[in-house]
Amino acid sequence: MAPSPAPYRVLARKYRPTDFTGLIGQEALVRTLSNAFASGRIAHAFMLTGVRGVGKTTTARIIARALNCIGPDGRRTEPTIQPCGVCEPCVSISESRNVDVQEMDAASRTGIDDIREIIEGVRYAPVAARYKVYIIDEVHMLSKQAFNGLLKTLEEPPPHVKFVFATTEIRKVPVTVLSRCQRFDLRRIDSEELAQYLAALAEKEDVKIEQAALALIARAAEGSARDSLSLLDQAIAHTGDEGDIITAAAVRAMLGLADRGRVLDIFEKLMGADVPAALAELKDLYDAGADPLAVVQDLLETVHFLTRLKVAPGAQGFFDGGSGEAGRAAALAAQLSVAALTRAWQILMKGLFEVRDATRPILACEMVLIRLAYGAELPPTGKLVKDLLDGGAAPLPRGAASPSAPSPRGPAASMSASGVRAAQPAVLPQEAPTARVRSLEDIAALAAANNAPILRVALENYVHLVHLEPGRIEFCPHARAPRTLAGDLAQKLKDWTGMRWSVSIASQGGAPTLAEQKQAAKTARFESAAQEPMVRAVLDRFPGAEIVSVRDIAREDITPAMPDGDGDSESETGH
Ligand SMILES: [Zn+2]
């Protein structure tokens, strides 16, 4: 970020709280401590927990000052909840140079020897202060031995010693230690509260800034007052001239955030399976400076918000109530199923890491969007595969697909509903730009539906599938495969699905071809039939007899076999 041209305005330092009144959002802690100080029942040990940036270390130092403040006139004899900030102990503690207040980071000093040093020191009275205060940060990092050593001291601490522990991972602190501490959970500061705090501060500093800009900063700071102050500092530095108003757009650009309304546009288009439009939107955002990672994060927040709307209509959050976006979000939430939203969440979560680790995040981001469009409405892959392997007899569960998706999205659903074996043109419209392709069977079915029998036969007999995902297929061709197979397939897939496909050839490996799989299934069927006692009896009785067909009688009683030409009906008559 740009360096601040106004160094006197380092808000984060200027407004670092030095007493409890400056600690915003931690009222519970302040109330409890106030009561304890007032009644003279001050615990021997405090445990401060909370995520990074909520002010644990700051609070620990304020506690140390509260315990040791002697007042401006040096006459105070009791701890106070309102340390003066000017007496020698107050000043030296906030500058981390008070001999009686020791700060230690357990992350770097975890061993028993480090703790032994403390245990030894505990026996001696403070040099100058009222209390010896040991502040141990990240206390959960201490070794087991170190905890045990500490425990003895905690059980019977000398009256002049206080411990203040801080940790981000309270679960890793032994219960034996926890039970001897007064525990405070420092909470993340609510973004609304943080925005109010920033607004008051901006007014005090005579900084003009839009309310929406403050809201953006507060949200980006994720509950940390310190982070919000440094962001505000940066925003001030970013806005060239003194007196200019800091706009939400400027802050958004500074934070690399995408416009929320446009993120919603993208999500709407993806759920409507309009991939080209969604990708075009993404490109616009990217060209305007949006960070692809931030786009995925915003999409995640969008999905989270929509899901919340689903379970609790009227929920507030990512899209501000009353705004146009909020209304659109509500409409979108009504259209999508919880299953679809959950799946979108999973795809985006996975995509988040891919985009973060990608050498070219924008490409990874595009792939995530495409996957989202093609995957969000599908039932879980395992279920889909099973349906297809089962011959697609089981209808697609209604709940899995969006009952009212905003645009026609037939292919995947109708494919598994009608059964891939008997894929008929009637249920696979030729104009299926958003056909979702998940398996080789799907592609063969597409070929059948689009009147490409030669390619279909090739797909069934000559393709040893290595890998398949929307937009990419890799296979090892059978020795007899036509040379043009890969090229033909790429062209046809593009025509049928409306998206570019990369078709690559592997020199070996891959799954058995569809025909081989079918043959194997048939053989298995014959073998199991041959084990039937009646059949065995017949075969034994008539040497030279062989099984030429296995029919599912119960089924054919109901629906007589249809002539179906493509030779893959379950029943087979001997030739
Ligand atoms: Zn003081």
Side-chain angles (χ1 to χ4, degrees):
M1 295 292 165
S4 167
Y8 56 90
R9 237 212 282 254
V10 181
L11 302 175
R13 204 172 306 149
K14 185 169 173 186
Y15 288 92
R16 176 166 203 165
T18 53
D19 59 21
F20 292 111
T21 55
L23 268 188
I24 59 163
Q26 313 298 353
E27 292 79 13
L29 171 139
V30 175
R31 202 175 322 116
T32 313
L33 272 186
S34 304
N35 293 341
F37 277 41
S39 63
R41 291 183 180 178
I42 305 173
H44 291 295
F46 303 92
M47 179 71 70
L48 307 176
T49 85
V51 295
R52 191 201 73 82
V54 288
K56 295 184 295 295
T57 319
T58 304
T59 307
R61 288 198 192 131
I62 297 173
I63 292 176
R65 289 169 74 167
L67 288 167
N68 283 325
C69 176
I70 54 172
D73 56 1
R75 291 191 179 184
R76 172 170 274 288
T77 56
E78 293 294 316
T80 171
I81 197 71
Q82 288 158 323
C84 70
V86 295
C87 69
E88 202 282 326
C90 275
V91 173
S92 59
I93 290 169
S94 51
E95 289 172 4
S96 302
R97 54 170 182 82
N98 188 298
V99 286
D100 291 313
V101 176
Q102 288 199 14
E103 289 186 36
M104 175 183 138
D105 185 359
S108 53
R109 302 176 64 192
T110 60
I112 181 69
D113 289 341
D114 302 309
I115 288 298
R116 195 167 284 141
E117 209 179 298
I118 292 176
I119 296 165
E120 301 281 306
V122 159
R123 286 189 275 145
Y124 305 103
V127 177
R130 197 175 295 130
Y131 291 104
K132 266 195 158 162
V133 183
Y134 293 93
I135 297 175
I136 305 183
D137 202 8
E138 297 300 347
V139 69
H140 64 272
M141 303 281 281
L142 287 181
S143 66
K144 200 173 172 210
Q145 241 185 334
F147 268 128
N148 286 339
L150 191 61
L151 201 56
K152 291 201 185 74
T153 312
L154 281 176
E155 276 163 356
E156 287 176 68
H160 58 265
V161 169
K162 302 285 181 199
F163 288 96
V164 185
F165 303 122
T167 180
T168 45
E169 297 189 56
I170 190 74
R171 282 189 202 87
K172 291 189 183 162
V173 178
V175 175
T176 42
V177 171
L178 269 183
S179 64
R180 289 178 170 80
C181 301
Q182 181 163 30
R183 172 175 164 179
F184 294 109
D185 291 28
L186 274 62
R187 61 180 188 87
R188 270 181 213 274
I189 306 156
D190 182 71
S191 60
E192 221 159 280
E193 194 176 353
L194 202 50
Q196 279 170 19
Y197 165 72
L198 293 175
L201 194 140
E203 194 164 329
K204 212 185 294 178
E205 290 283 319
D206 203 19
V207 169
K208 294 189 192 65
I209 181 164
E210 288 179 4
Q211 194 60 40
L214 289 176
L216 282 174
I217 291 177
R219 218 151 5 191
E222 292 185 332
S224 161
R226 184 177 60 206
D227 289 353
S228 77
L229 287 179
S230 12
L231 288 176
L232 182 56
D233 264 330
Q234 287 172 19
I236 292 167
H238 253 251
T239 315
D241 288 323
E242 197 96 355
D244 275 4
I245 186 157
I246 302 169
T247 62
V251 169
R252 201 183 289 284
M254 177 190 91
L255 295 172
L257 291 180
D259 186 307
R260 282 183 186 195
R262 301 193 62 181
V263 169
L264 190 60
D265 285 345
I266 291 183
F267 191 67
E268 265 176 358
K269 294 197 167 98
L270 290 175
M271 293 299 104
D274 191 352
V275 181
L279 292 183
E281 280 275 348
L282 174 67
K283 185 174 182 305
D284 281 356
L285 281 178
Y286 183 66
D287 290 346
D291 174 4
L293 191 64
V295 172
V296 177
Q297 268 162 344
D298 280 359
L299 280 168
L300 267 170
E301 291 211 38
T302 303
V303 170
H304 174 252
F305 181 64
L306 293 179
T307 314
R308 269 185 56 200
L309 275 182
K310 224 86 211 125
V311 295
Q316 297 282 315
F318 193 60
F319 297 105
D320 301 327
S323 67
E325 279 88 41
R328 278 166 60 206
L332 195 54
Q335 283 175 344
L336 295 168
S337 67
V338 171
L341 287 165
T342 310
R343 185 148 176 85
W345 173 266
Q346 286 168 343
I347 291 170
L348 284 165
M349 257 333 248
K350 190 161 172 290
L352 188 68
F353 296 106
E354 293 171 5
V355 173
R356 189 195 60 189
D357 298 336
T359 44
R360 294 190 58 196
I362 183 64
L363 300 189
C365 187
E366 282 185 3
M367 287 310 291
V368 173
L369 297 199
I370 291 167
R371 220 183 301 148
L372 197 57
Y374 282 75
E377 296 286 323
L378 284 177
T381 318
K383 164 94 180 87
L384 195 68
V385 167
K386 189 175 174 298
D387 283 353
L388 285 168
L389 291 179
D390 289 351
L396 196 70
R398 281 292 104 203
S402 159
S404 52
S407 88
R409 30 192 38 235
S414 47
M415 209 139 68
S416 55
S418 67
V420 79
R421 285 177 305 111
Q424 294 139 359
V427 294
L428 278 167
Q430 302 222 0
E431 58 285 281
T434 62
R436 291 193 205 80
V437 175
R438 289 270 158 170
S439 69
L440 194 53
E441 284 94 328
D442 291 1
I443 300 178
L446 269 179
N450 287 281
N451 221 356
I454 297 172
L455 184 56
R456 201 206 76 216
V457 169
L459 286 167
E460 282 175 352
N461 291 288
Y462 300 139
V463 171
H464 296 280
L465 188 65
V466 174
H467 180 83
L468 175 63
E469 66 184 73
R472 192 162 93 75
I473 178 169
E474 185 182 357
F475 67 90
C476 172
H478 189 277
R480 273 181 295 168
R483 282 173 182 281
T484 55
L485 180 54
D488 292 348
L489 185 58
Q491 182 56 48
K492 292 294 179 193
L493 279 172
K494 183 166 177 272
D495 295 346
W496 297 335
T497 64
M499 67 186 278
R500 230 171 238 296
W501 279 73
S502 128
V503 178
S504 51
I505 298 285
S507 57
Q508 57 183 13
T513 64
L514 293 180
E516 286 165 349
Q517 290 176 29
K518 206 173 290 169
Q519 184 58 44
K522 187 172 143 194
T523 306
R525 204 167 144 80
F526 274 45
E527 271 167 8
S528 89
Q531 298 305 313
E532 294 284 329
M534 247 239 297
V535 180
R536 272 174 72 167
V538 171
L539 290 176
D540 288 344
R541 189 74 59 83
F542 300 100
E546 58 178 275
I547 300 172
V548 293
S549 164
V550 177
R551 285 170 191 251
D552 196 331
I553 293 178
R555 197 162 167 180
E556 291 191 13
D557 279 346
I558 301 160
T559 40
M562 300 281 283
D564 106 22
D566 63 6
D568 56 11
S569 74
E570 294 244 358
S571 53
E572 191 85 287
T573 33
H575 297 289

